[in-house]
Amino acid sequence: MKKPKIKTHLKKSSQILRKKGKAPGTVTYTGLRENALSVVSVIDYDENKFIVEKPKTIEEINFFKNSKLTTWIDVTGISDESYIDDLGKLLGLNSLVLEDAVNTQQRPKIDEYDDYIFGVFKMLYLNDKQEIVYEHLAITLFESSVVVFQELKDDVFNGVRERIKTKSGRIRTRGADYLFFALLDAVVDNYFEILEGINHKIEELEEEVYDNPRPEVAQRIQELKKEVLKIRRYIFPVKELVSRLVDSESKLISKDTKLFLRDIHDHCIEINESLQIYREMSMSLMEMYMSNMSNKMNEVMKVLTIMASIFIPLTFIAGVYGMNFDKIPELHWEHGYAMVWGVMIVTFIGMLIYFKRKNWL
């Protein structure tokens, strides 16, 4: 069970070391999803038009970027460093931006430039096995377009795509800044689903800790603590980043869109508060486990002590009449054996009654 985790950790470390010694701005993919072909899809729309395209060349992508319509350029697969480098240069992205776009270890951030706003986030969602998928996501807002770099085809944007298809939707009547908001909102809203899963795990572990604390439960608690800390690392900074967008003086974000961004900010506050609670609960679970294990051990020791206390006088009686002396009067009594048994039984029952009245049993 542990060997794959060790191999994955070593592979992850080796990927990070690839950046060592390289000049700043060098496009270097640091994730584990290597050899993924970069696939670009474009959604071009306004209030009356809706176009979906699969550009075959970088030049076509640049054409859509400069379209008069609102454009969503979605780049799936970021391990092809040369392709990402060429695409970024054609789109006019800074080399440092391209470096962060493929650096999966980059913490969430927002950078504002004259012509665009660049953001790095972590897209978290559950796969078919109900396991959390951590996907690197980079979003760039231009005047009339949004460029998204993501590692996998799976994402949390299906709802946004459906809203764009609907002609009566609000998103069709607004610009690229609202599309940027809608994508970020989808990412943040999905954090609630992740937190719901964490809450469910905590409730399950609480029941197991109370009912049947086992070493396997302690291991699951440790895994949960690590998972909560990892989630917190990626989600916690988002509140501050959204706050920066709300206070931004960039001409790329309108006042109307900032009102919607404030709604994301409120969600981020709620998420961070929940995260803090779950972090404290996950840490207290181990204390509860240790306490219950100690109580369980105390109960065992209590039973053993009572059993030993009961048998001490019985052992004494048996020891006295087990001595090899000839002149022990009771040994020659006709009913001596039965009398000793009677004394031992009465002593046993008397001690049980005494312990019961003391609530020790």
Side-chain angles (χ1 to χ4, degrees):
M1 292 294 292
K2 292 184 179 180
K3 286 184 178 179
K5 293 183 179 180
I6 293 173
K7 290 180 179 179
T8 302
H9 177 73
L10 292 175
K11 187 175 181 182
K12 185 176 180 180
S13 299
S14 64
Q15 288 293 93
I16 297 173
L17 288 174
R18 290 184 58 197
K19 290 177 63 67
K20 186 176 180 180
K22 293 186 178 181
T26 303
V27 178
T28 306
Y29 177 67
T30 59
L32 301 177
R33 302 174 177 107
E34 300 179 85
N35 304 318
L37 182 65
S38 295
V39 178
V40 181
S41 61
V42 174
I43 298 178
D44 214 24
Y45 66 91
D46 64 7
E47 189 174 358
N48 301 312
K49 294 181 181 180
F50 175 76
I51 304 170
V52 178
E53 293 287 347
K54 296 281 187 180
K56 297 180 180 179
T57 64
I58 293 178
E59 288 73 18
E60 289 183 56
I61 299 172
N62 192 45
F63 170 78
F64 280 106
K65 171 185 170 289
N66 298 318
S67 169
K68 293 182 180 179
L69 306 180
T70 301
T71 307
W72 174 9
I73 301 172
D74 191 8
V75 183
T76 302
I78 57 175
S79 62
D80 189 343
E81 298 168 357
S82 61
Y83 181 84
I84 298 298
D85 191 28
D86 293 340
L87 175 61
K89 288 178 180 178
L90 191 64
L91 295 176
L93 296 176
N94 188 287
S95 60
L96 294 174
V97 166
L98 292 176
E99 180 184 10
D100 291 338
V102 298
N103 180 11
T104 59
Q105 307 306 313
Q106 176 63 51
R107 295 181 74 251
K109 61 178 294 187
I110 287 286
D111 289 331
E112 294 187 29
Y113 295 85
D114 293 337
D115 300 327
Y116 58 88
I117 296 175
F118 173 75
V120 173
F121 304 94
K122 285 294 179 180
M123 183 162 51
L124 277 58
Y125 56 88
L126 299 174
N127 60 15
D128 296 335
K129 298 179 181 179
Q130 295 302 298
E131 298 171 336
I132 300 177
V133 178
Y134 300 86
E135 185 176 348
H136 181 71
L137 179 70
I139 308 177
T140 309
L141 169 63
F142 292 94
E143 185 176 0
S144 62
S145 61
V146 175
V147 180
V148 175
F149 295 93
Q150 61 185 72
E151 291 185 271
L152 302 173
K153 182 180 179 180
D154 295 331
D155 55 35
V156 299
F157 300 139
N158 287 334
V160 180
R161 294 185 181 95
E162 292 300 319
R163 287 160 57 194
I164 294 176
K165 289 180 182 178
T166 305
K167 189 174 181 179
S168 59
R170 179 192 296 148
I171 196 170
R172 291 282 292 270
T173 63
R174 296 177 179 265
D177 58 337
Y178 188 84
L179 173 61
F180 180 86
F181 150 77
L183 296 174
L184 183 55
D185 184 56
V187 172
V188 172
D189 282 349
N190 215 66
Y191 291 159
F192 284 104
E193 181 179 352
I194 300 299
L195 294 184
E196 184 64 29
I198 294 295
N199 183 48
H200 181 65
K201 288 182 180 180
I202 290 176
E203 290 177 351
E204 284 185 342
L205 285 171
E206 278 183 337
E207 292 181 3
E208 292 194 43
V209 166
Y210 279 117
D211 298 337
N212 188 20
R214 296 165 290 126
E216 294 82 359
V217 175
Q219 184 178 356
R220 288 171 57 193
I221 292 173
Q222 284 297 108
E223 292 174 354
L224 176 65
K225 286 172 60 179
K226 292 179 181 178
E227 194 169 70
V228 170
L229 290 174
K230 186 176 182 181
I231 292 172
R232 185 176 183 274
R233 176 191 173 198
Y234 294 136
I235 293 181
F236 190 78
V238 176
K239 179 177 75 73
E240 182 63 29
L241 301 181
V242 175
S243 178
R244 284 181 54 190
L245 290 172
V246 172
D247 297 333
S248 173
E249 297 181 358
S250 173
K251 61 182 180 180
L252 298 175
I253 303 178
S254 66
K255 291 183 178 179
D256 291 340
T257 301
K258 286 183 179 181
L259 294 176
F260 294 102
L261 287 172
R262 287 194 181 96
D263 183 62
I264 297 182
H265 186 262
D266 292 339
H267 290 172
C268 289
I269 293 174
E270 181 180 352
I271 289 169
N272 285 353
E273 289 176 350
S274 299
L275 262 177
Q276 185 64 24
I277 293 173
Y278 294 154
R279 179 171 176 264
E280 293 173 0
M281 290 176 68
S282 65
M283 295 178 72
S284 65
L285 274 176
M286 184 57 73
E287 297 176 5
M288 291 166 53
Y289 170 81
M290 297 302 296
S291 176
N292 282 0
M293 287 294 289
S294 178
N295 291 338
K296 196 173 182 181
M297 182 61 69
N298 289 339
E299 287 295 323
V300 173
M301 294 302 297
K302 177 181 175 181
V303 172
L304 293 177
T305 302
I306 290 174
M307 291 177 64
S309 299
I310 290 173
F311 280 95
I312 284 174
L314 305 184
T315 304
F316 172 76
I317 295 172
V320 168
Y321 291 103
M323 293 188 294
N324 295 322
F325 292 107
D326 290 334
K327 296 182 179 181
I328 300 179
E330 293 87 350
L331 293 178
H332 302 287
W333 290 358
E334 182 179 355
H335 302 291
Y337 178 74
M339 292 176 65
V340 169
W341 264 109
V343 170
M344 294 174 69
I345 291 172
V346 170
T347 302
F348 175 78
I349 294 174
M351 294 189 73
L352 285 180
I353 294 173
Y354 177 77
F355 290 147
K356 192 70 175 178
R357 287 182 176 178
K358 287 288 188 177
N359 293 322
W360 293 350
L361 282 177

